[in-house]
Every structure is written in C-alpha cells, then in structure tokens.
Amino acid sequence: MKKAEDQLLVIFGASGDLTSRKLIPSLFELYVADLLPERFAILGAARSAFTDVQFRDAQRKHIREALSGRQMDESALERFLSLVYYHAFDSVHSVQYRELDDRMEALRKEKGMADQVLYYLATPPLMYEKIPQFLLENHMNEPADPDGWRRIVVEKPFGTSFASAKQLNDHLKHIFKENEIYRIDHYLGKETVQNLLVLRFANGIFEPLWNRNYIHSVEISAAESLGVEERGKYYDGAGALRDMIQNHLMELMGFTAMECPAAFEADQIKSEVSKVFRSVRPFTPVDMPERVVRGQYEGYREEPDVAPDSLTETFAAVKIFIDNWRWSDVPFYLYTGKKMAAKRSEIVINFKATPQVLFAGQCSGESCNRLIINIQPDEGITLYFGLKIPGVGYQVKQVGMDFRYKSLSDQPLPDAYERLLLDAMEGDSTLYPRSDTLELSWQLMDPVLAYWNQQGQEGLYNYPPGQNGPAERCVIEPEPQSCPFLPR
Ligand code: BG6
C-alpha cells in the first residue's frame, strides 16, 4: 500500500479522552503496520501544561491500556513516541496561534517536511467554529508554499439541528475548501460497513434482489449494553436520535440504499448517498405517531450530570420510507438504545416471503430469507434460508450460512479510527460524509425532535435496563408479531 505524503498532524484537544483512547493508539497501530508517512510528526496542542516528555509518558500509558492483552513491541513503541510532541496553549486566544505556528514551522524544518498539515479537532464542540476562525486570522488555514496543503478533521457532534449544522458548514467552508474538510463519522470507518459496498457492488447475485420487488423491510440498529457512563453532561443535551440516528445509522442507510456509483470515487459515492437522503419521505405531525418512538432506561435520571427530570431519550426508533423507484413502500427501521440486552450493531435485510406456501408451517409463516450484516461484535454476514429437516415429511427450518471476518485473518479488525485517520492523511474522503448529506439528515430529524419536545413526558416510555427498549417500541410496526426490534 502506498504511504501518505509527509505531513504534520496537529491535534487540538490533545489532553482529552478521544486523543488518548482512540487517536494515539490508532496512530501507533498505523506506525506498527508501517503505514505512516516517511516524514511525520504529531503535535498535540491543549491547555494542560505538559512538556513533550510528560505528554509522551502519558500516551505510553494510554497505548498500553488500549492494547492490553496484546503483545507489545517495546522498541516500536519508543520509536513511535519519539514522533509525538506537545505544545501547551490556550485555544481561545487568537494571539497564541502565532506561537503554535512557530512551533509547527520549527518541527517541519527539523523533520525536513513539506508544508503539509492535517488539523484534527478533538475538542469540545464549542471550539469547532472558534479554532478554524483563529487559524484563518493567523493565516494558518492555507499553506505558505503553493504546493503544500491544509486539511481539517472535525469530530462529531456536527451541529445539534439543521440550523446549527448549516452554520458550522458555512463557517468551515468560508475558511477551508470542501475537499479539505473531513467530518468524521466513525461508523463509516468500520470494516463491515466498507464491506457493505463490496458485498453489494462486487457481486452479481445480490443486486438484482436489492429492491422493493424482493425486499420486505430493512432494519438498521445499534444496541448498546452500557448506559451513558461519564458522558451524562453531553448525552443529556443530545439524546439517542442526535447521538446515533442522525449520523451513524442514517449513513449506514445511505450505503444500504444507494444506487451503484458510476465509479468508486469519493464524490460519486457521496452523490449517491445524497440522492437517497433527498428521496426520504419527511416526517409530518400526522404520521409521526406511527413512525417514531422513544424511551428512557430506568435509572437514567440518577446518572451523574443528568437532570433529575430529564426528558432525554436513551432509546429511539424511526420508520423511514425512501420514495424512489428502488425502495418505494419498503420500511427502513432505524433504532438504537443504551442499556439494552447486548451490544450489537447490524443491518438486516428481510426478504419477502415466497408467493406460494407449499410446505405447511414453512419458516413459522414468515419469509425464510434474511441477510444479516453483523457490524459488531462478531463481524460477519449470515444468509438465512429454509431447508428440510432430515427425516419423514417436509418440515422446513430456517438455517443460516455464516461468514465470519475472523476466519480471514488472525489479526483483530482495525479500529475505525485507524482507517479514517489514514484516509484523511491520504486525502481520501470517501468515508467522510459530505456537507449536504449531513444537512439533509438534520432536516429530516428536526421535526422529530420538535415533536418530542412538544410531547414532553407523554410518549417517553420507560424500559428496564438489560432488555430491548420499551415494550411500546413495536407501535411503529403494523404487525406486532413481527416487530423488528425483538431480540433474535
Ligand atoms: C458514539 C456515540 O458516536 O458512538 C456514543 O456518541 C456511542 O454514545 C458510540 O456509545 C457507539 O460506537 P460503537 O463504535 O461502540 O458502536
């Protein structure tokens, strides 16, 4: 694989949780796999008063924690840490960016690097507008060398509504070009999600069936067993719809429903996802009761930093229709919840039943055919179909044909951040959502949020931790016996 061009990676918010839990361990994995650029350095920038040595010591500990249980190449770890630097500064003061720029310049000179810089905003969201603004004021948004480049990665949450997402997009686009802005959605970095495109478009056998003539419904879910843990402050202001559905699950729906792009190129793929989002039927106050449902796990209001009378949903399910030729009338169920029975993210394609039922009791009266794409854990794909149980008569049983990623390699699957970081370094934005899809997704979700806000406590169903959300979750399914949110 070709290595990315020489570059300096500047991480804002470097003393935070994301940097230590995800970014630095992922960069170390890339280093071990020999995928980092030849000339490369990481400059962490944040308010804490670390020296380079202290920052490296802290990152050494975090890498060990992140990779615990795996064999560690100690000398590789030390060589990697020698690429890591730290600059203490207060990102809210524009004048301090001059010193940061001097430090960047000095590092580039020391390493003999071209004028190529990737910025990563791993800060609280309130800095997503300010830092780019200060970069602009200090002429750090553009390279001094015309052959150089600047790129910027922005973490989620990308806005909290259509208006705020649009404002952030407009602001960023006034400072950087669209192809320099990388809005991260870590779900798109998951191996199984990328493989969805390969499954669909590298095989001739699925695509002819991948439409309303053969598919009854699609379920896209991300269930989590954990609660909000220490993130009550953020989560209580966000909720399940904003936290998971507006971004991760909508993007998965885009990949599941899109047409085959003319070429495997970032913009072509994004345009297809955008077309899907443009065809989604808006939610209206009239159909909302049959298309959305929300819940809150018991005990949520006692979690740290959560309001004692919080109306934030920790479970959300929405029924989406994509009104185009391929998908008209096929419901897409998107759902997510915290404190569910198990952690599991999957895409389920439910095929229609056969037009004639030849065998009594065939697959308990339902379609025998279902394709499950296990995003995590136990990454893989299972195709279900009906077969005869050996012996007398014709008793049909639904059986699954399984593929598991672990059968392909002994190596654990790369973390989503490894893939996404590498792509941003290489300037490949295929797996990064474009501004229009993000805004379209917010436009769809805003009315749901407004409806829930207006409902208040009404329609916010409690559910016991460790189960599959509120019993009322099935209200959006016309046939409760086939409620898609039941555990399989
Ligand atoms: C994050 C959400 O984007 O995704 C978290 O903010 C959630 O609330 C997490 O727990 C889930 O990611 P994964 O990769 O563990 O499914």
Side-chain angles (χ1 to χ4, degrees):
M1 213 170 150
K2 198 169 114 290
K3 287 189 173 195
E5 294 172 331
D6 299 348
Q7 60 196 279
L8 175 65
L9 169 62
V10 179
I11 304 178
F12 292 98
S15 55
D17 195 46
L18 179 73
T19 305
S20 48
R21 244 177 359 95
K22 289 287 180 192
L23 304 184
I24 295 287
S26 297
L27 288 160
F28 174 59
E29 296 274 23
L30 291 172
Y31 178 79
V32 172
D34 197 20
L35 291 171
L36 290 183
E38 282 308 327
R39 275 183 286 250
F40 178 67
I42 303 164
L43 178 61
R47 202 172 336 182
S48 310
F50 288 128
T51 61
D52 286 347
V53 172
Q54 285 167 331
F55 188 64
R56 285 176 192 161
D57 288 346
Q59 300 315 317
R60 185 183 291 109
K61 190 167 143 273
H62 295 311
I63 293 173
R64 284 193 205 287
E65 275 165 15
L67 274 67
S68 72
R70 304 219 342 242
Q71 216 182 345
M72 177 80 77
D73 178 341
E74 294 296 333
S75 79
L77 177 59
E78 294 313 314
R79 274 181 279 130
F80 169 74
L81 288 171
S82 72
L83 303 176
V84 179
Y85 299 83
Y86 186 81
H87 181 77
F89 95 127
D90 196 346
S91 59
V92 297
H93 297 299
S94 182
V95 286
Q96 298 206 6
Y97 285 69
R98 291 273 19 109
E99 280 171 32
L100 175 66
D101 199 27
D102 291 345
R103 182 82 199 271
M104 287 164 53
E105 187 60 25
L107 260 178
R108 282 206 304 272
K109 288 225 170 90
E110 184 189 320
K111 304 265 173 188
M113 276 189 269
D115 189 9
Q116 303 178 147
V117 178
L118 176 65
Y119 297 116
Y120 198 114
L121 299 187
T123 61
L126 64 107
M127 295 308 295
Y128 293 175
E129 286 196 26
K130 288 196 180 124
I131 292 176
Q133 178 63 31
F134 294 145
L135 292 175
L136 172 73
E137 285 172 16
N138 291 282
H139 313 289
M140 295 162 74
N141 60 321
E142 284 177 347
D145 175 349
D147 291 333
W149 49 255
R150 297 287 180 271
R151 292 180 196 134
I152 188 161
V153 181
V154 187
E155 261 296 332
K156 68 164 284 221
F158 198 92
T160 55
S161 61
F162 169 62
S164 56
K166 181 158 181 2
Q167 182 181 319
L168 180 53
N169 267 330
D170 290 349
H171 182 71
L172 290 173
K173 284 198 266 189
H174 148 76
I175 299 171
F176 293 94
K177 296 187 195 77
E178 173 65 25
N179 65 1
E180 295 169 342
I181 306 169
Y182 290 72
R183 306 164 187 85
I184 212 159
D185 184 320
H186 81 280
Y187 259 64
L188 297 187
K190 291 182 192 282
E191 193 64 40
T192 27
V193 177
Q194 295 156 41
N195 217 7
L196 177 57
L197 296 178
V198 180
L199 176 85
R200 286 194 58 199
F201 302 128
N203 294 292
I205 60 169
F206 298 111
E207 216 36 37
L209 307 180
W210 210 264
N211 59 56
R212 65 192 302 270
N213 297 328
Y214 300 97
I215 292 178
H216 168 272
S217 59
V218 178
E219 302 162 42
I220 301 180
S221 63
E224 296 184 86
S225 50
L226 292 180
V228 291
E229 312 300 297
E230 298 85 37
R231 296 169 70 229
K233 198 165 165 206
Y234 150 74
Y235 195 88
D236 207 35
L241 193 85
R242 284 191 178 100
D243 187 47
M244 296 291 289
I245 295 187
Q246 181 277 331
N247 39 55
H248 306 324
L249 300 193
M250 283 293 287
E251 289 294 332
L252 294 192
M253 187 186 82
F255 275 21
T256 308
M258 71 187 222
E259 299 299 317
C260 184
F264 197 76
E265 284 167 9
D267 234 34
Q268 304 269 3
I269 293 171
K270 290 173 202 213
S271 295
E272 294 303 338
V273 173
S274 169
K275 269 161 63 187
V276 171
F277 285 17
R278 280 171 213 278
S279 300
V280 171
R281 189 184 304 169
F283 291 96
T284 68
V286 175
D287 66 11
M288 210 91 73
E290 287 138 36
R291 292 183 56 199
V292 301
V293 66
R294 67 192 163 130
Q296 189 185 72
Y297 66 79
E298 287 161 11
Y300 172 71
R301 292 175 182 180
E302 284 86 59
E303 297 277 22
D305 299 320
V306 167
D309 53 354
S310 171
L311 295 175
T312 299
E313 80 286 355
T314 60
F315 173 95
V318 298
K319 180 154 104 179
I320 290 185
F321 290 100
I322 302 167
D323 290 332
N324 63 15
W325 277 50
R326 187 188 279 264
W327 294 115
S328 179
D329 291 334
V330 177
F332 280 69
Y333 297 96
L334 273 50
Y335 76 99
T336 184
K338 298 233 182 248
K339 289 255 178 173
M340 304 275 276
K343 180 164 174 73
R344 187 168 192 79
S345 300
E346 60 184 18
I347 300 173
V348 181
I349 311 291
N350 295 307
F351 289 93
K352 286 185 175 169
T354 51
Q356 184 188 359
V357 178
L358 207 54
F359 307 100
Q362 180 176 315
C363 300
S364 320
E366 285 191 13
S367 164
C368 296
N369 303 123
R370 167 176 285 159
L371 179 72
I372 302 194
I373 298 157
N374 283 75
I375 294 166
Q376 61 187 29
D378 204 15
E379 291 82 354
I381 295 172
T382 308
L383 179 65
Y384 286 94
F385 43 87
L387 279 185
K388 176 185 173 300
I389 297 179
V392 290
Y394 281 88
Q395 219 184 325
V396 180
K397 186 174 162 39
Q398 194 185 42
V399 294
M401 201 160 69
D402 258 338
F403 157 73
R404 289 287 162 263
Y405 279 83
K406 52 178 179 269
S407 65
L408 279 186
S409 156
D410 301 338
Q411 295 299 313
L413 288 179
D415 187 88
Y417 274 90
E418 283 175 46
R419 173 62 196 251
L420 294 175
L421 273 165
L422 194 61
D423 283 359
M425 285 184 203
E426 288 174 347
D428 178 355
S429 68
T430 308
L431 300 173
Y432 284 84
R434 201 166 64 187
S435 59
D436 59 337
T437 50
L438 259 158
E439 288 176 17
L440 285 164
S441 177
W442 274 120
Q443 259 174 328
L444 284 168
M445 295 304 154
D446 270 5
V448 181
L449 291 165
Y451 171 69
W452 285 344
N453 198 23
Q454 181 215 332
Q455 270 196 317
Q457 178 66 57
E458 190 198 336
L460 176 66
Y461 303 112
N462 278 347
Y463 61 94
Q467 295 192 10
N468 281 292
E472 293 81 356
R473 66 188 182 273
C474 294
V475 295
I476 61 174
E477 166 60 51
E479 301 156 39
Q481 73 279 12
S482 59
C483 175
F485 315 138
L486 295 175
R488 276 172 224 296

